[in-house]
Amino acid sequence: MRKVYLWMTLALVITGFTAYYVANNPTLVNMLVTNSALFWGLVIAELALVIGLSAAINRLSLTTATLMFVVYSVINGATLSFIFFAYTMSSITSVFLITAGTFATMALFGYFTKTDLTSMGKILMMALIGVIIATIVNIFTKSQGLTVILNYVGVLVFVGLTAYDSQKIKQMMLMAPDASEDSQKIALLGALSLYLDFINLFLYLLRIFGAKRD
């Protein structure tokens, strides 16, 4: 579990530094803003890396899987660089701290609770699919009220998924052989799950509490 959180933290650091670097590099910003093909290419690459890593983890070497995780963290940082233009630095910092505190609380709850969260996880996954569908629909309807509702529902979904994933990863690690490559890959996949929970929770909280730039 220490390895899981170490990799997750490393990925967050890589994403954060990449986002800040890109946001402060006019050439890179101009490329992302003016070249829509590049931006959507990065988004598609992100999806491909997550799906590929999750689906093929057993066939990949540990080195290849780790490299894919790092590359994903870098690409995600590049696409997230726009938050520095949309929100003030102080609000980004404060929301990050709120996210970190909420995430840590729910991860600890999921790790130590004796309650089986499997049924809750299934409900949350269905809710997440509903949020994704509603978000796509709202791109066309542009309903401000629906946007607010989706932001709050998104927070609840990823708060719950953090606890669920933490418990699931703990159970998977308990069944894995100590120090084997398979257990290392399980830890890496667990780190990816928690990383995605953290990033999405942060983004939803930022939409709610973040102070927009003028």
Side-chain angles (χ1 to χ4, degrees):
M1 289 301 294
R2 285 195 298 269
K3 183 80 70 165
V4 170
Y5 288 105
L6 177 63
W7 269 331
M8 188 203 81
T9 303
L10 178 61
L12 289 173
V13 170
I14 292 172
T15 296
F17 275 111
T18 302
Y20 188 77
Y21 175 79
V22 172
N24 286 277
N25 189 310
T27 302
L28 294 176
V29 170
N30 184 61
M31 288 173 60
L32 289 173
V33 171
T34 60
N35 192 335
S36 59
L38 173 61
F39 178 80
W40 287 110
L42 291 176
V43 172
I44 293 171
E46 285 185 89
L47 292 173
L49 283 168
V50 170
I51 295 172
L53 188 56
S54 302
I57 188 69
N58 292 325
R59 297 192 299 273
L60 297 171
S61 68
L62 179 60
T63 301
T64 301
T66 304
L67 181 60
M68 289 174 66
F69 189 24
V70 171
V71 171
Y72 174 77
S73 304
V74 172
I75 296 175
N76 199 33
T79 57
L80 289 178
S81 61
F82 291 105
I83 66 172
F84 290 103
F85 300 104
Y87 301 94
T88 63
M89 190 65 192
S90 59
S91 69
I92 291 174
T93 303
S94 61
V95 171
F96 180 85
L97 294 175
I98 293 171
T99 305
T102 305
F103 179 89
T105 300
M106 296 311 298
L108 287 172
F109 171 77
Y111 186 85
F112 288 107
T113 185
K114 302 299 182 182
T115 304
D116 186 358
L117 302 179
T118 302
S119 58
M120 184 185 80
K122 293 177 180 178
I123 294 172
L124 289 170
M125 289 305 298
M126 289 188 290
L128 177 58
I129 293 172
V131 168
I132 293 172
I133 294 172
T135 300
I136 294 173
V137 172
N138 201 37
I139 292 175
F140 303 99
T141 60
K142 295 181 171 57
S143 170
Q144 187 60 37
L146 181 57
T147 298
V148 173
I149 292 172
L150 288 174
N151 287 338
Y152 282 97
V153 173
V155 168
L156 293 176
V157 167
F158 283 103
V159 163
L161 283 176
T162 298
Y164 166 71
D165 285 336
S166 182
Q167 184 181 80
K168 181 180 69 175
I169 294 164
K170 174 187 176 182
Q171 292 170 346
M172 291 171 64
M173 295 304 296
L174 287 173
M175 293 186 292
D178 291 339
S180 69
E181 182 169 309
D182 285 343
S183 67
Q184 298 293 316
K185 288 193 277 188
I186 292 172
L188 187 66
L189 201 58
L192 175 62
S193 296
L194 292 176
Y195 168 88
L196 291 172
D197 291 339
F198 188 100
I199 291 293
N200 283 286
L201 179 60
F202 169 70
L203 291 175
Y204 278 113
L205 287 172
L206 189 61
R207 294 186 190 111
I208 297 171
F209 299 112
K212 295 287 186 66
R213 288 187 181 273
D214 297 329

